[in-house]
């Protein structure tokens, strides 16, 4: 699974014999993470943006194996919650290199970040509301901060991730200079931040670059009000092709367009890729337990569910599916679903898959981004194990939960 590093990794590129061995050894459903692919994706991204400061967006996948792999590769970490800050530090991140991007932070989160920043003056706290800055001041914090702005333009694969036009995120563009002037009097204002959406591909680039132009213009207005900024952070959002027919982004071209959109500014460009780094570095293995033929559909029941991967139910997201036990048996149109008692527990409908039979192992691709992060215990299902591959070696990086784990917090 090493070899070259194409811009996208399809399910057919994985070593099927290796995957079947892992399914037999560790059971299913099973998350399989390829650490080499994580490194390769990070190297490709940083090569496209050699002068930028690249921070991995931890919310995409906070697994220790992912965080440690990226820290070893030289990445810094951006966190959106207290737990992510703690997990990044536990994985080896220097708190002075971490950025905390607060979105309506609970008191416990904000107090943790303020204390951490006071003890580690290199940490940066990003806030998207005047109220959050007031709460930081109440806690005695006067360190490094950035202002999250709302450019009024959202992009991405689904309306639920188009954060750039959602009032929940950031300070409206027309109010930013006024807020910046007040913030600069109380804190060390070092940057402007925005994240306009997620899953950006070719058709979204025009809107994405328009949003970046707006962010850069806001940053120039802030500099005119308060003086030079250290960085302008345009977030992440760069997508990967989930569908087989979609071409991957050409990152050198993307870099040129982003630089042109940013324009003339002395501040360092900061980016926070997440999905681009980990999406195609992980898949889910699931075993067929039921085959049912009806007049309307051939239904294939598997042991993975929306508790394993909720994105299809939550975002109507497409994930490629491949029969790794028998990839050449001949395609048939099937619906694949799990054991949860809801019609939402479906990975695909009327999808051509090499004819699945009971005990076959299917792979569900592009599960690295918001896969395990959104895994849950619906129907009292223990969450799956996760195995990391590194070249010819593999190891369990997250054990399979038991029913005792599911119930252990109950009194």
């Amino acid at each position: 699974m090493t070899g070259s590093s194409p811009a996208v990794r399809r399910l057919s590129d994985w070593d099927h014999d290796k995957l079947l061995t892992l399914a037999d050894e560790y059971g299913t459903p099973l998350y399989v993470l390829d650490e080499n692919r994580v490194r390769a994706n990070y190297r490709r991204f940083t090569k496209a943006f050699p002068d930028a400061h690249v921070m991995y967006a931890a919310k995409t996948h906070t697994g220790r194996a992912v965080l440690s792999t990226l820290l070893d590769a030289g990445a810094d970490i951006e966190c959106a919650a207290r737990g992510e800050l703690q997990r990044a530090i536990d994985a080896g991140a220097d708190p002075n290199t971490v950025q905390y991007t607060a979105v309506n932070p609970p008191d416990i989160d904000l107090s943790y970040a303020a204390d951490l920043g006071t003890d580690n003056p290199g940490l940066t706290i990003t806030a998207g509301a005047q109220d959050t800055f007031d709460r930081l001041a109440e806690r005695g914090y006067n360190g490094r901060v950035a202002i999250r702005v709302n450019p009024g333009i959202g992009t991405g694969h689904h309306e639920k991730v188009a954060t750039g036009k959602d009032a929940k995120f950031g300070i409206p563009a027309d109010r930013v200079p006024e807020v910046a002037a007040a913030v600069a009097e109380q804190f060390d204002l070092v940057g402007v931040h925005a994240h306009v959406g997620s899953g950006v591909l070719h058709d979204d680039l025009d809107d994405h670059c328009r949003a970046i132009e707006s962010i850069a213009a806001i940053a120039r207005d802030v500099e005119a009000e308060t003086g030079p900024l250290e960085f302008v952070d345009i977030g992440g959002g760069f997508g990967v092709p989930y569908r087989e027919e979609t071409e991957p982004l050409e990152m050198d071209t993307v870099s040129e367009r982003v630089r042109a959109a940013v324009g003339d500014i002395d501040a360092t460009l900061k980016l926070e890729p997440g999905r681009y780094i980990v999406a195609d570095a992980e898949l889910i293995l699931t075993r067929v337990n039921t085959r049912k033929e009806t007049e309307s559909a051939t239904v294939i029941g598997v042991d993975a569910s929306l508790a394993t991967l909720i994105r299809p139910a939550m975002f109507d997201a497409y994930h490629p599916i491949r029969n790794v036990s028998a990839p050449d048996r001949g395609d048939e149109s099937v619906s694949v679903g799990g054991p949860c008692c809801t019609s939402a527990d479906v990975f695909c409908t009327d999808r051509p898959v090499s004819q699945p039979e009971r005990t076959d192992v299917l792979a569900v691709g592009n599960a690295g981004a918001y896969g395990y992060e959104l895994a849950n215990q619906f129907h009292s299902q223990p969450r799956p194990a996760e195995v990391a591959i590194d070249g010819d070696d593999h190891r369990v990086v997250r054990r399979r939960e038991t029913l005792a784990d599911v119930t252990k917090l109950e009194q």
Side-chain angles (χ1 to χ4, degrees):
M1 295 190 186
T2 54
S4 61
S5 172
V8 62
R9 189 187 205 182
R10 310 293 187 183
L11 279 179
S12 57
D13 298 327
W14 291 74
D15 183 334
H16 288 25
D17 290 338
K18 177 74 168 180
L19 294 177
L20 292 173
T21 297
L22 294 175
D24 288 341
E25 183 173 354
Y26 299 106
T28 56
L30 179 70
Y31 273 84
V32 181
L33 170 73
D34 187 346
E35 293 174 316
N36 275 336
R37 184 64 186 174
V38 173
R39 297 185 191 100
N41 289 342
Y42 174 73
R43 286 195 299 266
R44 188 184 319 104
F45 192 95
T46 53
K47 182 180 179 182
F49 292 95
D51 299 324
H53 181 187
V54 177
M55 308 188 79
Y56 168 65
K59 65 179 178 292
T60 319
H61 192 314
T62 53
R64 174 73 67 88
V66 169
L67 295 177
S68 296
T69 296
L70 286 168
L71 286 167
D72 289 345
D76 288 330
I77 309 295
E78 181 268 336
C79 303
R82 175 176 62 102
E84 292 175 11
L85 283 171
Q86 185 63 65
R87 293 180 77 166
I89 294 167
D90 289 346
D94 179 351
N96 287 288
T97 66
V98 172
Q99 184 166 309
Y100 170 55
T101 306
V103 181
N104 300 334
D107 284 343
I108 191 172
D109 283 42
L110 200 61
S111 294
Y112 178 87
D115 290 344
L116 188 66
T118 299
D119 294 337
N120 299 274
L123 181 141
T124 303
I125 298 178
T126 302
Q130 178 65 62
D131 201 34
T132 304
F133 287 113
D134 294 342
R135 292 165 65 205
L136 282 169
E138 290 169 3
R139 286 161 170 78
Y141 181 80
N142 61 2
R144 291 167 55 89
V145 298
I147 295 176
R148 181 165 186 166
V149 306
N150 186 316
I153 302 171
T155 58
H157 68 90
H158 193 281
E159 62 181 9
K160 291 182 179 178
V161 300
T163 54
K165 61 182 180 181
D166 187 335
K168 176 179 178 180
F169 300 95
I171 294 171
D174 60 349
R175 292 189 51 217
V176 170
E178 170 193 350
V179 172
V183 167
E185 292 183 1
Q186 291 183 292
F187 307 94
D188 181 12
L189 177 60
V190 295
V192 166
H193 171 281
H195 176 73
V196 297
S198 184
V200 171
L201 287 170
H202 311 279
D203 294 342
D204 307 303
L205 272 178
D206 287 345
D207 285 343
H208 197 67
C209 287
R210 280 198 305 113
I212 292 171
E213 290 174 358
S214 176
I215 297 162
I218 293 169
R220 285 188 277 271
D221 290 342
V222 170
E223 288 191 318
E225 186 73 34
T226 67
L229 295 171
E230 179 184 308
F231 65 81
V232 175
D233 188 338
I234 61 171
F238 300 107
V240 297
Y242 284 74
R243 293 181 180 271
E244 293 86 348
E245 67 272 16
T246 305
E247 291 297 316
L249 290 171
E250 173 48 60
M251 290 309 299
D252 289 339
T253 301
V254 171
S255 176
E256 291 176 4
R257 294 198 59 183
V258 166
R259 286 291 186 183
V262 171
D264 184 22
I265 196 163
D266 292 330
T268 296
L269 177 65
K270 186 177 284 191
L271 300 107
E272 301 168 3
R275 185 188 310 273
Y276 186 87
I277 304 298
V278 296
D280 71 354
E282 190 158 41
L283 53 71
I284 297 166
L285 298 178
T286 182
R287 197 175 293 275
V288 175
N289 54 48
T290 305
R291 178 183 172 90
K292 180 171 62 174
E293 297 181 9
T294 73
E295 290 185 4
S296 60
T298 297
V299 179
I300 302 300
V302 296
D303 56 10
S305 72
L306 63 77
T308 314
L309 180 70
I310 201 172
R311 293 190 73 254
M314 188 174 184
F315 298 119
D316 195 27
Y318 180 99
H319 284 263
I321 296 175
R322 185 174 176 85
N323 187 342
V324 296
S325 293
D328 301 317
R329 192 178 281 155
D331 286 353
E332 67 171 331
S333 182
V334 298
S335 297
V336 178
C340 292
C341 189
T342 169
S343 297
D345 187 22
V346 176
F347 293 110
C348 71
T349 56
D350 300 325
R351 179 88 63 86
V353 178
S354 180
Q355 185 176 5
E357 301 289 353
R358 198 190 312 159
T359 75
D360 282 351
V361 174
L362 307 184
V364 182
N366 282 348
Y370 309 102
Y372 211 110
E373 282 302 298
L374 294 173
N376 58 82
Q377 297 171 335
F378 182 50
H379 271 325
S380 294
Q381 295 184 82
R383 283 174 289 199
E386 183 178 28
V387 172
I389 299 170
D390 193 351
D392 294 329
D393 299 326
H394 69 269
R395 69 194 192 284
V396 176
V397 294
R398 192 158 4 201
R399 68 167 175 82
R400 187 177 304 280
E401 285 185 337
T402 65
L403 188 56
D405 292 318
V406 174
T407 60
K408 67 182 179 182
L409 300 182
E410 296 179 13
Q411 307 262 352

